[in-house]
Amino acid sequence: MNRLAELLPFNAGETVASHCSRLAAASGYERAYSFGTDHGFRFFSLAVGNQKAIEAYADVLQVHASDLTPGVMKPSGNFLLIGGEQEIEMSMLERSRLRYCPRCLEDDERFGEGRRGHRAFGRLTWQIKSVRSCRRHGIRLFTSPLRPDPMFLHDFAAELQAELVRTKSAPPAAEKMKTDNLQLYTEARLAGDKTMSPWLDTFPLYVALKICETIGACERHGIDFRAAALDEREWSTCAGMGFDLVHGGPASLEESLRSQMVRFQDAYPRSLGRSGLGSLYRQLTFHSLEQEYRPIREIIRNVGLETLPLAPGDYFLGPVTERRVHSVSSAAQQFKVNTRMLLNQLINAGAVPVSARSTTPERVLLDAKLMESHARELKRKLNVRSASAYLGIDETSFRALVKHGHIISASSMGSLDTARLDWTFDQRVLDEVVAKVASAASCSHTNGLCSIQEAARAGATNLVVVIEKILDGAIKTVGIDTNENGFGRIKVDPNEVKRCTAVQPHGCYTFAEVSRLIPIDGRVVSALVAEGRLPTVQRPVLRRGSNHTVIEPEALHEFTRQYVALPRLSEDAGIARPTLMGKLDHAGVAPAFIAAGTRFYRRSDVDPVRFR
């Protein structure tokens, strides 16, 4: 080490170009370029890490070239090698303009070593854009608006002198700014400290910086954030958040990505796929040939395969060779089943929540093997239309069999009348129902016999009544035609069906008949029944095998003996209703009750003759 080296010590964290520039200025040179020329090396070559220039400068200082390595910034293609270890992209650096902390420069001159006036030095970290603040002073780094002449590029002392001249009238304001965790990690890594994130240490520095900043920006501003819209403070916040999310290792990154996918699907319910990873996916696609990103790609690819319905033949950061997840839509398409029926089966089985109905089928995801199992099971089932055709009967008769419990649906939701596709029926259950009825066969021939459907139609009854009569043993003649399927193979005697299903007339009145007899409007009859003034009974419908609500003659007679409606009273008295109602009110005769707006009087209170 000679007098030059002792004139200005080489500081920890300083760039070689900064030291040479300060030494040149301290030696009376206006430009470091001239100093280098006089000492047998090119300053620009030294600034860009040329090994011969470094060795020549080391000879000037009479030190070993390795002593200068920590401050060397050496370009290598699109990257810059810092200190011989850390790689960073050229685009992630600010080397064309002076970037500094004003208070650090003041402290250098006040407390530093070496010749006064030349103690302030340029830090290597100041040139990294991800380093946005001074941790020591808690202020934002200042970037000079001046762009130096090419002859002064990297010449720290000359650039600083020009900056001091510029800032005499308007010194840069010291803006407070917290140091984010990604910057702390960057500074620690450049200093050789490998304790903050051993996992990120396995990647080149530029990969760690890009991934953390991108994930943080996606977390704060959505997957398609605009980088140009974020200022330095916001980028610092994003960078710190990104580091906090992923520094723990692959598990932390996976959790962050899954959370991002969930938020994306909540925000965009009709979108799915790689768009859920937005800028991060595009960034990794851009760097798809770089092996340095491979571990990150594998993690994201794994998350994609486990959260997206990707199939063999798709591409997601590489060809997809296996399916791990199925959506309801993709499974319905692959196994050729109804999408809505598959969704309902999954809900009934508890495989997905009921809330899945409120989203689109391509958004409802399930493990591929489990989804395949449900789809194959559904493929063995039939909906109402298919099940009716399978049994050889019409849909109305089929629905009646379900309603009366003769056929059990494989699903248990909705109404057969309103949600046809929600009901499915297992072929095995349908076969068992047919076999149960066929077990009542009593003859080996089918001469003169017809199908259950035809016999029910001929007997003016329904298929359910005929089947129940067969099962009860009321219908004796039952044959089997082995050439037909479903209920079509069961043959019965139509005349026997007529006799067994015949019902004697009950002699009661329907609501429509009561409406004509009193006479009053049909809605008034319904109101009288609802209020309990007209008692009803249940009587079988002729040959239909079902009951309906009717009114017995005695009940109607008793009602009309006690009460008379205003319309009937008006007809008997031959007086218009308004006139008659006025006379009754004048005479102090109040109605016994009012049903559906119609007045009813007690017969004992009125005498039609006296009002004529």
Side-chain angles (χ1 to χ4, degrees):
M1 181 180 296
N2 58 14
R3 291 182 59 190
L4 282 177
E6 294 174 350
L7 184 64
L8 288 174
F10 183 51
N11 297 291
E14 183 178 8
T15 65
V16 172
S18 166
H19 184 260
C20 180
S21 173
R22 293 192 301 126
L23 189 58
S27 301
Y29 285 86
E30 181 183 358
R31 297 182 303 169
Y33 175 83
S34 302
F35 176 83
T37 302
D38 288 349
H39 289 81
F41 65 90
R42 295 185 61 197
F43 173 73
F44 184 78
S45 298
L46 178 70
V48 298
N50 180 272
Q51 186 60 34
K52 290 184 177 180
I54 292 171
E55 291 174 355
Y57 184 57
D59 289 341
V60 171
L61 300 178
Q62 294 184 359
V63 297
H64 197 279
S66 61
D67 295 337
L68 304 177
T69 299
V72 173
M73 303 180 74
K74 182 178 182 179
S76 177
N78 293 326
F79 302 98
L80 195 76
L81 192 63
I82 300 176
E85 294 184 3
Q86 306 299 336
E87 277 188 321
I88 193 166
E89 287 185 359
M90 297 292 287
S91 61
M92 304 173 76
L93 298 169
E94 176 56 78
R95 303 197 72 193
S96 62
R97 292 185 297 172
L98 186 64
R99 196 161 179 260
Y100 62 97
C101 169
R103 291 185 181 175
C104 282
L105 297 183
E106 292 174 1
D107 289 349
D108 290 345
E109 286 297 337
R110 188 178 307 159
F111 306 111
E113 297 180 3
R115 178 171 292 183
R116 291 186 180 277
H118 304 283
R119 293 176 177 177
F121 63 94
R123 275 70 164 173
L124 183 149
T125 54
W126 287 350
Q127 298 187 24
I128 301 175
K129 292 180 181 178
S130 295
V131 176
R132 300 179 174 90
S133 68
C134 174
R135 179 176 45 161
R136 179 178 177 183
H137 296 103
I139 62 173
R140 185 173 70 89
L141 295 183
F142 183 79
T143 302
S144 173
L146 298 177
R147 290 190 177 275
D149 184 279
M151 294 299 294
F152 291 96
L153 188 62
H154 307 306
D155 194 340
F156 176 81
E159 290 184 56
L160 179 60
Q161 186 61 37
E163 181 69 8
L164 292 176
V165 172
R166 186 191 71 82
T167 58
K168 279 184 179 179
S169 57
E175 301 178 25
K176 290 185 178 181
M177 186 174 180
K178 281 187 66 175
T179 301
D180 61 77
N181 285 340
L182 182 61
Q183 176 177 329
L184 294 178
Y185 166 76
T186 303
E187 293 176 346
R189 181 163 172 174
L190 290 172
D193 184 355
K194 298 184 178 181
T195 59
M196 287 193 67
S197 179
W199 182 64
L200 285 178
D201 287 342
T202 63
F203 298 96
L205 180 59
Y206 71 91
V207 173
L209 294 178
K210 274 194 173 182
I211 294 300
C212 290
E213 289 186 343
T214 303
I215 288 179
C218 287
E219 186 77 16
R220 284 182 59 83
H221 300 282
I223 58 172
D224 288 316
F225 68 89
R226 290 181 61 246
L230 308 182
D231 60 19
E232 272 201 330
R233 290 184 179 277
E234 185 55 33
W235 266 121
S236 178
T237 304
C238 293
M241 177 176 288
F243 177 81
D244 293 340
L245 288 172
V246 306
H247 79 277
S252 299
L253 178 57
E254 283 191 20
E255 182 181 352
S256 174
L257 294 173
R258 292 179 193 277
S259 175
Q260 180 175 312
M261 290 294 290
V262 170
R263 289 196 307 276
F264 171 77
Q265 292 172 6
D266 289 342
Y268 304 93
R270 294 189 176 273
S271 299
L272 192 66
R274 54 190 58 84
S275 51
L277 295 171
S279 299
L280 183 60
Y281 181 88
R282 290 191 293 273
Q283 186 180 94
L284 291 172
T285 301
F286 181 77
H287 296 288
S288 59
L289 299 180
E290 297 180 29
Q291 291 300 310
E292 291 79 6
Y293 284 91
R294 183 174 180 179
I296 303 292
R297 285 199 300 270
E298 289 301 319
I299 292 172
I300 296 178
R301 177 179 166 84
N302 186 60
V303 171
L305 290 173
E306 292 181 356
T307 57
L308 300 175
L310 299 169
D314 290 340
Y315 185 91
F316 188 85
L317 296 177
V320 176
T321 58
E322 62 172 330
R323 179 187 284 278
R324 299 185 191 177
V325 174
H326 249 309
S327 70
V328 169
S329 292
S330 63
Q333 182 178 6
Q334 179 177 342
F335 297 102
K336 295 180 173 56
V337 296
N338 182 273
T339 302
R340 185 176 173 186
M341 289 172 65
L342 178 57
L343 176 59
N344 287 327
Q345 172 161 315
L346 294 173
I347 293 174
N348 290 336
V352 298
V354 177
S355 59
R357 277 205 193 90
S358 62
T359 188
T360 51
E362 66 272 11
R363 292 280 315 285
V364 182
L365 308 175
L366 200 63
D367 175 78
K369 292 183 179 178
L370 186 56
M371 182 74 84
E372 180 178 344
S373 174
H374 283 286
R376 291 190 183 281
E377 181 181 350
L378 178 61
K379 202 168 179 63
R380 295 194 298 268
K381 297 176 181 178
L382 306 172
N383 61 11
V384 172
R385 178 177 297 175
S386 301
S388 302
Y390 184 76
L391 293 179
I393 58 177
D394 58 65
E395 290 187 33
T396 302
S397 298
F398 182 85
R399 291 171 180 272
L401 286 172
V402 175
K403 181 178 180 180
H404 286 80
H406 294 289
I407 297 176
I408 306 299
S409 169
S411 55
S412 58
M413 54 175 294
S415 163
L416 262 178
D417 298 326
T418 59
R420 178 155 121 191
L421 292 177
D422 291 344
W423 289 77
T424 57
F425 303 87
D426 197 310
Q427 292 183 12
R428 292 168 295 188
V429 173
L430 302 180
D431 292 337
E432 289 172 3
V433 173
V434 174
K436 182 179 179 181
V437 179
S439 66
S442 58
C443 57
S444 58
H445 67 85
T446 58
N447 297 331
L449 306 182
C450 65
S451 69
I452 297 176
Q453 185 94 63
E454 293 170 334
R457 195 176 295 116
T461 186
N462 62 51
L463 182 135
V464 174
V465 175
V466 178
I467 288 179
E468 290 178 346
K469 294 294 183 181
I470 294 174
L471 295 175
D472 292 343
I475 296 178
K476 307 294 184 182
T477 307
V478 180
I480 303 296
D481 185 349
T482 57
N483 294 322
E484 297 192 35
N485 298 316
F487 283 122
R489 62 199 297 257
I490 302 172
K491 306 298 181 180
V492 294
D493 185 345
N495 295 320
E496 185 180 11
V497 170
K498 286 182 181 180
R499 290 194 301 272
C500 290
T501 59
V503 178
Q504 295 298 322
H506 49 65
C508 297
Y509 300 121
T510 64
F511 288 11
E513 290 171 334
V514 171
S515 176
R516 291 193 299 269
L517 289 171
I518 292 185
I520 51 178
D521 190 83
R523 62 187 179 85
V524 181
V525 177
S526 298
L528 292 173
V529 171
E531 296 172 7
R533 301 184 187 280
L534 268 179
T536 59
V537 293
Q538 296 290 316
R539 292 290 182 265
V541 181
L542 185 62
R543 295 185 182 278
R544 290 297 180 185
S546 60
N547 295 330
H548 65 164
T549 305
V550 293
I551 300 169
E552 292 182 311
E554 294 80 7
L556 181 61
H557 175 72
E558 178 62 24
F559 179 82
T560 56
R561 187 184 66 79
Q562 294 187 52
Y563 305 104
V564 60
L566 179 64
R568 184 58 180 266
L569 187 60
S570 171
E571 183 180 342
D572 291 345
I575 302 174
R577 294 181 194 178
T579 303
L580 179 58
M581 188 167 58
K583 289 185 177 185
L584 290 171
D585 291 341
H586 183 72
V589 179
F593 60 87
I594 299 175
T598 299
R599 294 187 174 198
F600 283 84
Y601 296 88
R602 295 184 185 279
R603 286 190 179 275
S604 58
D605 294 341
V606 297
D607 181 0
V609 178
R610 59 184 276 204
F611 293 107
R612 291 180 179 175

